[in-house]
Amino acid sequence: EAGVAQSPRYKIIEKRQSVAFWCNPISGHATLYWYQQILGQGPKLLIQFQNNGVVDDSQLPKDRFSAERLKGVDSTLKIQPAKLEDSAVYLCASSSSDWGPNNFGNGTRLTVT
Amino acid sequence: EDKVVQSPLSLVVHEGDTVTLNCSYEVTNFRSLLWYKQEKKAPTFLFMLTSSGIEKKSGRLSSILDKKELFSILNITATQTGDSAIYLCAVDTQGGSEKLVFGKGTKLTVNP
């Protein structure tokens, strides 16, 4: 089966600019997650979708981050405006089970200068 | 606040050595503990543990959970250079939504 697809692979922007990441989960997976992984840290959950509804966005900085999953399939994560501390790898994951993500994409590495 | 602590943070060994990676946790509503291997890109799933004392095994890797003492270990025997990676421990907490809380990871380097 095809894995979780993410794009772009890398992105370099200046602070205060906007950026968007895209994720296409494994076909049929109802649950989709966005994680932020800062260098030297484990992934931190930003938002979890079940189909097209938000289940948990308690750690999403809502003043600058937004995410949507229209039609319950692929998803976009946006940052506007970006700050230096947003530099990280943004991982998307999907799951068909209810015990947590077990299928990660390769991530988008964001560098904010 | 839910917390997952891994030790050591980094480890350098020679091929053929056996290593033990540790993960301790303090979370509400524990559901399961998961181990992932992260090389350059996506974390890949290794094990999920839900019950104490039952060892999960896959080739040279094995893991066990102690729910009383709130920790898990991941063992790798006869290490190979291909085992070099970051090993992530995560705890699945169930409190209205599924949420994985990750530790910082253990960076394992296996030298030839």
Side-chain angles (χ1 to χ4, degrees), chain A residues 30-35 44-50 54-59 93-102, chain B residues 2 28-34 36 48 50 90-102:
Chain A
T31 310
L32 184 148
Y33 308 78
W34 283 102
Y35 287 85
K44 183 183 84 172
L45 179 69
L46 293 176
I47 188 166
Q48 175 188 345
F49 291 94
Q50 184 76 16
V54 174
V55 175
D56 186 341
D57 63 357
S58 57
Q59 299 189 99
S94 71
S95 175
S96 62
S97 69
D98 65 352
W99 55 262
N102 65 346
Chain B
D2 295 334
T28 54
N29 299 316
F30 174 91
R31 180 163 160 148
S32 62
L33 185 144
L34 300 97
Y36 290 85
M48 182 179 76
T50 56
V91 174
D92 185 359
T93 67
Q94 186 183 22
S97 65
E98 294 304 312
K99 187 164 82 172
L100 284 189
V101 180
F102 281 85

Side-chain angles (χ1 to χ4, degrees), chain B residues 41-112:
Chain B
K41 302 173 183 176
T44 53
F45 171 72
L46 295 175
F47 298 113
M48 182 179 76
L49 303 155
T50 56
S51 301
S52 281
I54 299 174
E55 184 182 55
K56 291 282 183 89
K57 195 170 172 66
S58 176
R60 296 176 294 103
L61 277 67
S62 64
S63 183
I64 198 161
L65 173 68
D66 186 328
K67 289 171 74 173
K68 182 179 177 184
E69 299 298 329
L70 308 183
F71 78 91
S72 174
I73 60 172
L74 175 68
N75 280 320
I76 308 175
T77 59
T79 52
Q80 302 171 357
T81 55
D83 296 327
S84 296
I86 295 173
Y87 289 85
L88 294 166
C89 172
V91 174
D92 185 359
T93 67
Q94 186 183 22
S97 65
E98 294 304 312
K99 187 164 82 172
L100 284 189
V101 180
F102 281 85
K104 291 185 178 182
T106 293
K107 183 177 180 181
L108 174 65
T109 302
V110 182
N111 290 323

Side-chain angles (χ1 to χ4, degrees), chain B residues 6-12 20-23 87 105-108:
Chain B
Q6 292 186 245
S7 64
L9 291 181
S10 68
L11 189 57
V12 180
T20 298
L21 310 182
N22 303 292
C23 176
Y87 289 85
T106 293
K107 183 177 180 181
L108 174 65

